[in-house]
mmCIF file of all heavy atoms in Angstrom:
data_model
loop_
_atom_site.group_PDB
_atom_site.id
_atom_site.type_symbol
_atom_site.label_atom_id
_atom_site.label_comp_id
_atom_site.label_asym_id
_atom_site.label_seq_id
_atom_site.Cartn_x
_atom_site.Cartn_y
_atom_site.Cartn_z
ATOM 1 N N ASP A 243 21.779 -11.118 3.981
ATOM 2 C CA ASP A 243 21.610 -9.652 3.834
ATOM 3 C C ASP A 243 20.123 -9.323 3.864
ATOM 4 O O ASP A 243 19.336 -9.887 3.046
ATOM 5 C CB ASP A 243 22.253 -9.206 2.505
ATOM 6 C CG ASP A 243 22.255 -7.702 2.334
ATOM 7 O OD1 ASP A 243 21.542 -7.011 3.134
ATOM 8 O OD2 ASP A 243 23.004 -7.186 1.542
ATOM 9 N N MET A 287 -2.310 6.067 -28.227
ATOM 10 C CA MET A 287 -1.473 6.483 -27.143
ATOM 11 C C MET A 287 -1.834 5.760 -25.805
ATOM 12 O O MET A 287 -1.035 5.422 -24.993
ATOM 13 C CB MET A 287 -1.581 8.027 -26.891
ATOM 14 C CG MET A 287 -0.819 8.829 -27.973
ATOM 15 S SD MET A 287 0.940 8.460 -27.944
ATOM 16 C CE MET A 287 1.449 9.808 -26.809
ATOM 17 N N ARG A 345 -21.816 12.549 -25.089
ATOM 18 C CA ARG A 345 -23.233 12.610 -24.566
ATOM 19 C C ARG A 345 -23.245 11.691 -23.396
ATOM 20 O O ARG A 345 -23.504 10.456 -23.513
ATOM 21 C CB ARG A 345 -24.263 12.288 -25.638
ATOM 22 C CG ARG A 345 -24.334 13.241 -26.767
ATOM 23 C CD ARG A 345 -25.351 12.901 -27.773
ATOM 24 N NE ARG A 345 -26.712 13.011 -27.281
ATOM 25 C CZ ARG A 345 -27.369 14.170 -27.181
ATOM 26 N NH1 ARG A 345 -26.785 15.290 -27.504
ATOM 27 N NH2 ARG A 345 -28.607 14.174 -26.668
ATOM 28 N N ARG A 347 -24.144 9.633 -20.135
ATOM 29 C CA ARG A 347 -25.177 9.075 -19.303
ATOM 30 C C ARG A 347 -24.609 8.914 -17.906
ATOM 31 O O ARG A 347 -23.567 8.280 -17.823
ATOM 32 C CB ARG A 347 -25.690 7.759 -19.809
ATOM 33 C CG ARG A 347 -26.634 7.802 -20.930
ATOM 34 C CD ARG A 347 -25.809 7.873 -22.239
ATOM 35 N NE ARG A 347 -26.736 7.583 -23.360
ATOM 36 C CZ ARG A 347 -26.493 8.132 -24.586
ATOM 37 N NH1 ARG A 347 -25.551 9.022 -24.763
ATOM 38 N NH2 ARG A 347 -27.301 7.805 -25.561
ATOM 39 N N HIS A 380 10.964 12.106 4.413
ATOM 40 C CA HIS A 380 10.014 12.426 5.491
ATOM 41 C C HIS A 380 8.773 11.524 5.482
ATOM 42 O O HIS A 380 8.291 11.115 6.481
ATOM 43 C CB HIS A 380 9.640 13.919 5.454
ATOM 44 C CG HIS A 380 8.653 14.322 6.422
ATOM 45 N ND1 HIS A 380 8.896 14.217 7.878
ATOM 46 C CD2 HIS A 380 7.401 14.907 6.382
ATOM 47 C CE1 HIS A 380 7.810 14.611 8.531
ATOM 48 N NE2 HIS A 380 6.916 15.046 7.626
ATOM 49 N N HIS A 382 8.116 8.592 3.898
ATOM 50 C CA HIS A 382 8.209 7.153 3.778
ATOM 51 C C HIS A 382 7.603 6.469 5.044
ATOM 52 O O HIS A 382 7.911 6.890 6.192
ATOM 53 C CB HIS A 382 9.636 6.729 3.584
ATOM 54 C CG HIS A 382 9.823 5.263 3.527
ATOM 55 N ND1 HIS A 382 9.665 4.595 2.374
ATOM 56 C CD2 HIS A 382 10.194 4.377 4.475
ATOM 57 C CE1 HIS A 382 9.900 3.274 2.605
ATOM 58 N NE2 HIS A 382 10.240 3.136 3.840
ATOM 59 N N ASP A 528 -13.806 -0.343 -35.921
ATOM 60 C CA ASP A 528 -13.259 0.516 -34.868
ATOM 61 C C ASP A 528 -14.082 0.107 -33.622
ATOM 62 O O ASP A 528 -15.267 0.352 -33.546
ATOM 63 C CB ASP A 528 -13.407 1.994 -35.208
ATOM 64 C CG ASP A 528 -13.129 2.937 -34.083
ATOM 65 O OD1 ASP A 528 -12.685 2.431 -32.986
ATOM 66 O OD2 ASP A 528 -13.283 4.147 -34.274
ATOM 67 N N TYR B 74 -15.434 17.544 -13.833
ATOM 68 C CA TYR B 74 -16.764 17.974 -13.317
ATOM 69 C C TYR B 74 -17.449 18.793 -14.436
ATOM 70 O O TYR B 74 -18.703 18.629 -14.605
ATOM 71 C CB TYR B 74 -16.593 18.791 -12.053
ATOM 72 C CG TYR B 74 -16.574 17.921 -10.818
ATOM 73 C CD1 TYR B 74 -15.377 17.353 -10.364
ATOM 74 C CD2 TYR B 74 -17.689 17.705 -10.099
ATOM 75 C CE1 TYR B 74 -15.365 16.458 -9.240
ATOM 76 C CE2 TYR B 74 -17.751 16.912 -8.971
ATOM 77 C CZ TYR B 74 -16.541 16.327 -8.572
ATOM 78 O OH TYR B 74 -16.554 15.452 -7.445
ATOM 79 N N ASP B 86 -31.409 8.651 -23.239
ATOM 80 C CA ASP B 86 -31.003 9.222 -24.497
ATOM 81 C C ASP B 86 -30.432 8.242 -25.387
ATOM 82 O O ASP B 86 -29.693 7.288 -25.002
ATOM 83 C CB ASP B 86 -29.935 10.353 -24.227
ATOM 84 C CG ASP B 86 -29.563 11.138 -25.423
ATOM 85 O OD1 ASP B 86 -28.711 10.601 -26.222
ATOM 86 O OD2 ASP B 86 -30.116 12.200 -25.631
ATOM 87 N N GLU B 88 -28.842 9.135 -28.584
ATOM 88 C CA GLU B 88 -27.926 9.708 -29.616
ATOM 89 C C GLU B 88 -26.510 9.489 -29.228
ATOM 90 O O GLU B 88 -26.166 9.234 -28.067
ATOM 91 C CB GLU B 88 -28.214 11.207 -29.709
ATOM 92 C CG GLU B 88 -29.527 11.470 -30.531
ATOM 93 C CD GLU B 88 -29.736 12.957 -30.612
ATOM 94 O OE1 GLU B 88 -28.745 13.642 -30.928
ATOM 95 O OE2 GLU B 88 -30.871 13.430 -30.441
ATOM 96 N N ASN B 92 -18.029 11.734 -33.630
ATOM 97 C CA ASN B 92 -16.968 10.688 -33.900
ATOM 98 C C ASN B 92 -15.702 11.363 -34.006
ATOM 99 O O ASN B 92 -15.156 11.686 -35.075
ATOM 100 C CB ASN B 92 -17.426 9.969 -35.202
ATOM 101 C CG ASN B 92 -16.448 8.835 -35.454
ATOM 102 O OD1 ASN B 92 -15.582 8.863 -36.319
ATOM 103 N ND2 ASN B 92 -16.633 7.709 -34.705
ATOM 104 N N HIS B 94 -11.686 11.376 -32.830
ATOM 105 C CA HIS B 94 -10.710 10.334 -32.387
ATOM 106 C C HIS B 94 -9.464 10.891 -31.641
ATOM 107 O O HIS B 94 -8.731 10.123 -31.084
ATOM 108 C CB HIS B 94 -10.255 9.543 -33.534
ATOM 109 C CG HIS B 94 -11.238 8.456 -33.917
ATOM 110 N ND1 HIS B 94 -12.282 8.709 -34.774
ATOM 111 C CD2 HIS B 94 -11.397 7.185 -33.531
ATOM 112 C CE1 HIS B 94 -13.034 7.663 -34.953
ATOM 113 N NE2 HIS B 94 -12.537 6.694 -34.109
ATOM 114 N N GLU B 100 -2.140 15.961 -27.780
ATOM 115 C CA GLU B 100 -1.391 14.851 -27.210
ATOM 116 C C GLU B 100 0.046 15.212 -27.049
ATOM 117 O O GLU B 100 0.690 14.840 -26.011
ATOM 118 C CB GLU B 100 -1.529 13.586 -28.091
ATOM 119 C CG GLU B 100 -2.982 12.991 -28.030
ATOM 120 C CD GLU B 100 -3.131 11.718 -28.821
ATOM 121 O OE1 GLU B 100 -2.266 10.809 -28.549
ATOM 122 O OE2 GLU B 100 -3.976 11.640 -29.635
ATOM 123 N N LYS B 199 14.836 10.728 8.135
ATOM 124 C CA LYS B 199 14.505 9.326 8.395
ATOM 125 C C LYS B 199 15.591 8.507 7.770
ATOM 126 O O LYS B 199 16.066 8.768 6.665
ATOM 127 C CB LYS B 199 13.159 9.015 7.833
ATOM 128 C CG LYS B 199 12.625 7.635 8.230
ATOM 129 C CD LYS B 199 11.280 7.298 7.521
ATOM 130 C CE LYS B 199 10.137 8.113 8.041
ATOM 131 N NZ LYS B 199 9.446 8.814 6.902
ATOM 132 N N ARG B 206 23.966 -4.032 8.536
ATOM 133 C CA ARG B 206 24.494 -2.891 7.725
ATOM 134 C C ARG B 206 24.401 -1.631 8.472
ATOM 135 O O ARG B 206 23.303 -1.206 8.790
ATOM 136 C CB ARG B 206 23.661 -2.729 6.443
ATOM 137 C CG ARG B 206 23.849 -3.709 5.338
ATOM 138 C CD ARG B 206 22.910 -3.457 4.238
ATOM 139 N NE ARG B 206 23.054 -4.365 3.148
ATOM 140 C CZ ARG B 206 23.784 -4.031 2.037
ATOM 141 N NH1 ARG B 206 24.373 -2.876 1.980
ATOM 142 N NH2 ARG B 206 23.896 -4.876 1.031
#
Side-chain angles (χ1 to χ4, degrees):
Chain A
D243 188 345
M287 286 297 268
R345 294 182 67 81
R347 281 86 166 148
H380 177 57
H382 180 82
D528 172 1
Chain B
Y74 274 83
D86 184 279
E88 285 182 41
N92 185 254
H94 282 88
E100 291 185 50
K199 187 185 291 125
R206 280 177 180 265

